[in-house]
Amino acid sequence: MIWLFFVVSLNTLAPSPARAAEAVSQPLAEDPKDEFRWAFSLAADVRWERISDQSVEPRALPSVALGWGVRPWLFLGEYSYDEAESEGSAILNIRRRSRSILFWGQYQVWELRRLTPFFSGGLGARQEKVDSVLYSESRTDEGRWLDQYGVGLGLRFSGLDPLWLSLEGRVLFCGDFEPNPQFGTYLRLGFFF
Amino acid sequence: MKMKLKDKTLVIWVACIWFMITCSSCSRPVSDEQSPRVLLPWIENGQYHFRVVELRTMESLKSLRGSVARFSVGVNGPEPIVRALRRSDGVFVPTDPMSQNLLSLYANLERLAELDDQVGVGYLLPRPWKISINTNIVNENQRRLHNNAQYDADRKMIEFTSFESRGDLPLTVNAGAIAHEHFHALFDVLVPSPASLQDCSAMEADQIAARREARLRELYRVRLLRAMNEGLADVWGWIHSGDPRFVARSRPEDGELRSLEKGIQPIWTAKQFSDYNRAEGFCPRRSDQDFVYQLGNQYGLAFQWAFGSKDRVPVAHVVIELLRKLKKDIMNFPDGDELKPALLIENLARQNPRQCPFLISILQPKDQSELTWQCWETL
């Protein structure tokens, strides 16, 4: 639903179909903005994961990314961190923390002046930590770093250069995900410099 | 030759599909390992600590499959999913309370299966046992229960309700409570249960009058056997956990009533129990009568005082022998109220003549003379 709203609202800002077709037919290399540019972004990394009551619910993680791009490519290193609230009772409870680093390559297939659909693929690693409390005993345990992979499909809106906004649907894979693969959306606000 | 836009799109799609296929095979669940070691809340010397426990019969940690037990969310629901991280030393650590509860429950059931084998009753309950969590159990007022558990004899299933955080130990982590419910399964196969009582709520007044005495006799036997079942189940909970106050850890409201760490209580006579039975009424609505647990606790305390300082596995043998004898007694007295509360203590004294003086001392004078004579003969 969010996805649909995003696409519809951005398309109202997008050029008419005739102009879009004209833009598609133009070679990308002719655009004066086709130069090496650094990119930075802040994002909400929303992932659908199983929670303690066994249901699968969305969970938003703050995420930052730094990278560079030369059209049609954009490469980004992302760092996401999650610290859940403590769950359980006063005498027996658990708090889960996770962090993940992913390197993404985004490839824009074509560009409609302001609206750019892109494919993405990423790989990296993920680690979980857990703080456990039992009566007066508390401890922290750390998991191993595990490989993590992902593919995505998204739309980038760059009408207010150097600012850009993107929404991406993702499928992520990791050995300790539940469910695996994990579906997610990535809403990003970034700028080029 | 330059690639056209269409060709590039096709290449990207093929690459994505290849990537997904490759990743779905390489990201196999980390927790599919035989006999995993798991960090769990575990009781030792009557106190709970975090300990690394090996789940020897576990086949898949993630789906909680093992040869001892199979789990479902609700009675007919799906299998629960466990989430755990794996430390660099290979030990798994649950990452949410439900996973911790489930793994702790499995570990306790595994140890209970070993105890069953040790005392020669391992063959009685076919494995894997059926366990239901987050079960919807309602009381007589149709209100949903929380922080509770029961053995469902019809389904042959141990059922746990959802846990509401109140600052108590969840029942699924409480070793004594898990053993208590497991014992009900043993009692169910070792002792013939009385015929189920006819529902009295729809009876007319003249039907009630005609059936009153017969009904009270039925209730007497059902409740006496229930008291024995509950009392010995608490003893089994203590045998498995070594914790005489395990009930109070999860249900403080029942803690004092069912504590096995208090002064000895004399065992009621048949007359006393019959009076409580009559006072409760012909058609009681409450299923958990306190007086049933009171008598059960008298049995539990008798065991605790007689055997409390000894190795607990021989005590488990004594309990099983007692159940076998109880079965014979019930078959010899098929109707009515011939069974008396002191029967269990008399049988215990016959099995353990050295405990005779103590066991005689906890009976009421009316029941003492018979046991004294029996003990004299045995000794």
Side-chain angles (χ1 to χ4, degrees):
Chain A
M1 198 61 198
I2 296 168
W3 175 255
L4 190 67
F5 175 75
F6 183 77
V7 170
V8 170
S9 57
L10 285 189
N11 268 330
T12 58
L13 297 169
S16 66
R19 290 181 68 181
E22 192 185 323
V24 170
S25 61
Q26 285 173 0
L28 292 170
E30 286 176 13
D31 194 313
K33 284 182 282 184
D34 281 354
E35 59 192 25
F36 181 91
R37 298 174 93 188
W38 288 97
F40 176 78
S41 73
L42 293 171
D45 184 356
V46 182
R47 298 180 179 193
W48 269 256
E49 60 179 33
R50 197 173 303 279
I51 60 171
S52 190
D53 74 357
Q54 299 284 307
S55 62
V56 177
E57 301 281 341
R59 180 165 184 80
L61 288 61
S63 176
V64 293
L66 185 67
W68 70 93
V70 180
R71 259 187 282 190
W73 289 98
L74 179 63
F75 296 98
L76 290 158
E78 278 176 20
Y79 177 78
S80 301
Y81 182 74
D82 183 27
E83 187 168 313
E85 282 183 17
S86 177
E87 295 178 277
S89 68
I91 58 156
L92 180 63
N93 60 67
I94 282 182
R95 189 175 60 151
R96 191 168 63 100
R97 291 180 280 163
S98 71
R99 53 184 170 168
S100 71
I101 298 168
L102 273 163
F103 295 96
W104 289 88
Q106 295 183 354
Y107 180 81
Q108 60 187 59
V109 185
W110 70 85
E111 185 171 348
L112 310 172
R113 194 165 284 186
R114 297 189 180 100
L115 208 57
T116 310
F118 62 87
F119 293 99
S120 59
L123 56 93
R126 179 173 188 274
Q127 189 195 36
E128 274 192 322
K129 282 184 185 178
V130 62
D131 303 314
S132 316
V133 173
L134 173 63
Y135 291 104
S136 58
E137 188 180 347
S138 65
R139 55 178 298 132
T140 298
D141 293 279
E142 202 172 272
R144 297 185 299 191
W145 282 95
L146 295 170
D147 301 345
Q148 187 181 204
Y149 316 89
V151 288
L153 182 63
L155 275 176
R156 189 185 309 133
F157 174 69
S158 47
L160 301 165
D161 193 64
L163 286 175
W164 48 284
L165 187 69
S166 73
L167 182 67
E168 191 180 347
R170 288 179 169 180
V171 185
L172 295 157
F173 302 85
C174 183
D176 71 345
F177 275 158
E178 179 44 50
N180 188 23
Q182 195 170 76
F183 293 92
T185 56
Y186 197 89
L187 180 62
R188 185 198 308 266
L189 175 67
F191 65 91
F192 289 112
F193 55 99
Chain B
M1 194 172 70
K2 272 193 171 180
M3 265 180 116
K4 287 181 183 174
L5 188 66
K6 261 187 177 176
D7 299 332
K8 282 184 182 173
T9 312
L10 185 68
V11 167
I12 296 283
W13 275 115
V14 169
C16 284
I17 291 165
W18 171 82
F19 193 76
M20 288 177 81
I21 292 167
T22 312
C23 289
S24 60
S25 61
C26 68
S27 56
R28 190 173 56 85
V30 289
S31 47
D32 273 355
E33 182 180 292
Q34 296 279 317
S35 306
R37 289 177 302 137
V38 185
L39 184 80
L40 293 173
W42 197 248
I43 194 162
E44 266 180 15
N45 303 321
Q47 295 297 323
Y48 282 86
H49 300 283
F50 284 115
R51 289 285 180 269
V52 175
V53 180
E54 186 182 0
L55 303 180
R56 296 166 202 141
T57 60
M58 181 68 81
E59 290 148 16
S60 167
L61 190 112
K62 189 164 187 168
S63 54
L64 207 66
R65 278 202 200 125
S67 58
V68 167
R70 286 275 193 276
F71 295 80
S72 63
V73 183
V75 171
N76 297 312
E79 284 182 333
I81 303 286
V82 163
R83 292 190 308 171
L85 63 80
R86 189 178 190 180
R87 293 192 324 211
S88 54
D89 61 358
V91 171
F92 290 96
V93 182
T95 57
D96 66 63
M98 175 69 88
S99 301
Q100 190 177 55
N101 292 357
L102 288 166
L103 290 168
S104 174
L105 180 53
Y106 188 92
N108 276 290
L109 291 168
E110 200 177 61
R111 300 304 184 270
L112 284 165
E114 288 171 11
L115 179 63
D116 284 3
D117 293 337
Q118 276 179 290
V119 297
V121 291
Y123 67 95
L124 286 175
L125 302 172
R127 298 170 200 163
W129 301 328
K130 290 188 279 183
I131 314 290
S132 160
I133 56 155
N134 283 1
T135 316
N136 186 11
I137 301 174
V138 293
N139 66 7
E140 59 277 0
N141 300 320
Q142 300 305 307
R143 288 188 63 180
R144 190 170 177 175
L145 298 177
H146 299 281
N147 307 325
N148 217 322
Q150 68 178 21
Y151 174 70
D152 185 331
D154 295 331
R155 295 193 178 100
K156 309 277 180 217
M157 179 183 261
I158 295 176
E159 298 166 353
F160 290 88
T161 64
S162 63
F163 175 69
E164 274 193 349
S165 175
R166 308 179 304 179
D168 311 319
L169 193 69
L171 285 165
T172 43
V173 174
N174 188 328
I178 297 164
H180 174 100
E181 297 307 329
H182 172 66
F183 180 82
H184 288 322
L186 287 173
F187 193 94
D188 186 55
V189 290
L190 280 169
V191 180
S193 48
S196 55
L197 292 170
Q198 193 185 348
D199 182 16
C200 58
S201 56
M203 282 186 186
E204 299 294 333
D206 55 337
Q207 281 181 295
I208 290 175
R211 292 257 309 130
R212 185 175 175 81
E213 284 308 310
R215 170 86 181 182
L216 283 171
R217 273 204 304 278
E218 286 169 5
L219 280 169
Y220 175 94
R221 175 170 281 214
V222 167
R223 287 168 175 166
L224 180 57
L225 286 176
R226 177 123 195 268
M228 292 175 178
N229 194 346
E230 293 297 341
L232 293 176
D234 282 349
V235 171
W236 207 257
W238 162 72
I239 288 170
H240 171 63
S241 67
D243 181 8
R245 296 186 63 85
F246 70 87
V247 177
R249 287 187 190 275
S250 300
R251 293 179 58 83
E253 65 272 27
D254 297 332
E256 192 48 37
L257 174 65
R258 292 171 59 185
S259 168
L260 299 182
E261 206 177 42
K262 61 185 181 190
I264 191 77
Q265 313 270 322
I267 306 290
W268 285 339
T269 60
K271 166 92 172 52
Q272 282 174 303
F273 191 71
S274 180
D275 289 346
Y276 278 112
N277 183 47
R278 284 174 180 273
E280 196 65 31
F282 173 80
C283 190
R285 288 192 50 80
R286 285 191 308 128
S287 51
D288 283 348
Q289 296 92 359
D290 277 358
F291 79 99
V292 168
Y293 282 98
Q294 250 175 292
L295 178 58
N297 185 245
Q298 291 165 16
Y299 294 132
L301 287 169
F303 263 86
Q304 174 68 17
W305 279 79
F307 305 105
S309 57
K310 294 186 178 172
D311 181 11
R312 297 194 301 271
V313 175
V315 185
H317 277 284
V318 171
V319 173
I320 294 300
E321 283 312 305
L322 209 54
L323 294 188
R324 294 190 198 281
K325 179 70 174 69
L326 186 61
K327 179 182 179 179
K328 285 180 190 164
D329 290 338
I330 289 171
M331 290 164 88
N332 290 338
F333 296 102
D335 358 283
D337 49 8
E338 296 87 350
L339 293 176
K340 57 183 180 179
L343 176 72
L344 210 61
I345 302 300
E346 287 172 7
N347 288 343
L348 190 59
R350 281 190 208 105
Q351 284 174 30
N352 303 274
R354 283 186 186 175
Q355 298 294 340
C356 262
F358 166 72
L359 294 171
I360 289 168
S361 75
I362 63 170
L363 294 182
Q364 308 275 0
K366 188 175 178 296
D367 291 321
Q368 275 180 343
S369 53
E370 196 177 336
L371 183 58
T372 307
W373 180 245
Q374 286 173 3
C375 282
W376 180 254
E377 275 187 329
T378 314
L379 290 166

